[in-house]
Structure formats: structure tokens, C-alpha cells
Amino acid sequence: SIWHGLADQVVDSANAHLLAEQWSGVHGIEHGSASLLADGSQVTTWGESGRPNVELCMRPGLPHAWPADATAGIARFWGVLD
């Protein structure tokens, strides 16, 4: 689970995309499935629906910071939290 702020002026968002592409390549998955959440976040997943191998969450308006809900989102992705 990779999270990146679209307002980040320190780390280029292209890095998050490249990281997701690298991990999806490790899993042998070429194409992701993109969706737009109600808060404007762009989420792309690679792998099986409901249990993807790779997830990229791009958050609008988020600068170079850790979003408050990222820990819970990542824990859900890894199956640690329902």
C-alpha cells in the first residue's frame, strides 16, 4: 500500500507511480484498476478484486506529510484491521 499526497512539493508523485509499477511487476501484474473515492483520492489496485497485491492511493491536497488515516488504510490493506 503506497500513499502519496498530490500537493507534495518535496517528493515527485511520479516516484509513487514508479514504485507501484515495480511492485506490480514483481507480482507479474501488468494492468491496474483505478477508482476515485468520495474524498477525491485516486486509488489504483493491481491483483484480485477485494485482495489486491499492490495499492496506490494518491491524496488530493496532501502535502509532504503522513495522513491521519493512512495507518488504518494500510493496516486494512495488509489484513491486520477489518
Side-chain angles (χ1 to χ4, degrees):
S1 186
I2 303 157
W3 291 54
H4 192 86
L6 292 172
D8 190 336
Q9 295 182 358
V10 177
V11 178
D12 194 312
S13 63
N15 292 350
H17 288 282
L18 290 171
L19 187 59
E21 288 175 16
Q22 289 172 355
W23 277 109
S24 61
V26 166
H27 292 284
I29 306 165
E30 292 185 26
H31 302 287
S33 176
S35 61
L36 188 62
L37 302 182
D39 68 358
S41 294
Q42 303 165 15
V43 178
T44 305
T45 57
W46 291 260
E48 294 180 29
S49 179
R51 188 68 180 124
N53 297 82
V54 180
E55 172 187 65
L56 173 61
C57 182
M58 304 295 286
R59 302 294 298 267
L62 181 69
H64 188 71
W66 185 260
D69 59 342
T71 302
I74 293 167
R76 274 191 291 282
F77 175 81
W78 286 106
V80 177
L81 182 67
D82 290 328

